[in-house]
Amino acid sequence: MGNYAVVNPATGEKGREYDDITDSDLDAAIGKAWETHREWSLSTTVAERAALVQRVADLHIERREALAEVAVREMGKPTEQALGEVDFCGDIYGYYAERAEELLADEPIDLLAGEGKAVIRKSAMGPLIGIMPWNFPYYQVARFAGPNLIVGNTILLKPAPQCPESAEAIQAIYDEAGFPAGAYQTILASNEQIATAIADPRVRGVSVTGSERAGSAVAEVAGRNLKKVVLEMGGSDPFILLATRDLDAVVEAATNARLDNTGQSCNAAKRFIVADELYEDFLAKLTEKMASMEPGNPTDDPAMGPLSSDIASERLQDQLERAKAQGAEIALEGGRDGNFFHATVLTGITPDNDAYREEFFGPVASVYRVGSEQEAIELANDTPFGLGSYVFTDDPEQADRVANHLDTGMVFINGVLLDGAELPFGGVKRSGFGRELGPYGMDEFVNKKLIRSLE
């Protein structure tokens, strides 16, 4: 037996265990991906590959209830949120399928001198490895595999160890959609096997969504072997409140941004940076709202489910205990029952506290008071992460000014949960590099080939 198994975090019930792939089978999978790239990718059109991806979109929607049930079992996602994730996958696959020919069209270059013409043609690179996390087991695959299969890259997909059942369901969808056997393959590999696979000359690139530790390890191997890599890692996104005429609406947005997916989202708002004149009222209303958001059985569609595993729960518990020991004040004491955490609100976090620079992957909000716009910007940027950020103000010029100074890959103004298939997703600093989704998501793993000709 291997490292891949389902353990329901809400009940502790153990499901099926899955065997790890053998070294010989992994080598064969890489070989199949390489041959499929050379034969299928070069003998099919963009439109033909897009049609297959559209079928993947349709199958996700047709099977949305069954797919959602798997996510509930694997990582405790509340049912309605699991259904929403599957529906979003349909949007992502559909976005790329509908716009494939436009996004991959030749780009003409205006020549400065000489006769003839020049174009940039976007062509496939070859087999890619995708290393995916547990928190959004369908969405993460969609935004990586969908555009790259249309390009003509073949996919070797390593799921999180606790998500083999959703990986199996995705594999079945790709098989039924009509992709050839080597186009999309699930590999239940160990970290050591993945390092070996990245070094294989037949593999042309790797995309990782996961922890900072995992991303750093993969980037090191990829760098040694001169492989293109895209990294989407953690985040400690600031939620900056500078002015508002409707504090209740802002608190509602803040709570939703913090507790989506039980707080287990890399781009969730985690640090709430509030102007001095709004701080006391915001903190009172936020603690009241957060306290009302009770965790429960994910099949009953509660505000929050459990954390995804015993390991995740122990990690969050340790973070909270260290934060308190190092001087953080407790505005709302959450408490824990197994893998179920009630929401916690921290204040008084100083720069010498571990909590100042760590990412809390669970229902924990940290609230800070600032005296000026400039202080808010400096505090927001004083983090190793740089994924997303949120700015709330009634002044459009202020919003634009602050957005321009935030050292993050994404800024959302006066709104949360605004992700879309057409909007690029990614960060800077220790949050990684590269982009997924939108037109840029199709550009990461392409050979932008110059073709210069004389007529």
Side-chain angles (χ1 to χ4, degrees), residues 9 69 105 137 144 161 183 191 234 255 287 312 327 344 346 365:
E69 288 174 5
F144 167 66
N191 292 338
T255 304
T287 53
T344 295
L346 303 176

Side-chain angles (χ1 to χ4, degrees), residues 147-170:
N148 279 301
L149 283 164
I150 293 175
V151 169
N153 295 317
T154 51
I155 303 298
L156 297 157
L157 199 292
K158 179 197 178 299
Q162 71 197 69
C163 296
E165 192 177 353
S166 57
E168 188 175 51
I170 296 169

Side-chain angles (χ1 to χ4, degrees), residues 173-195:
I173 286 176
Y174 275 97
D175 293 344
E176 186 171 327
F179 281 93
Y184 181 97
Q185 298 174 84
T186 303
I187 52 171
L188 304 184
S190 68
N191 292 338
E192 293 75 20
Q193 287 176 312
I194 288 296

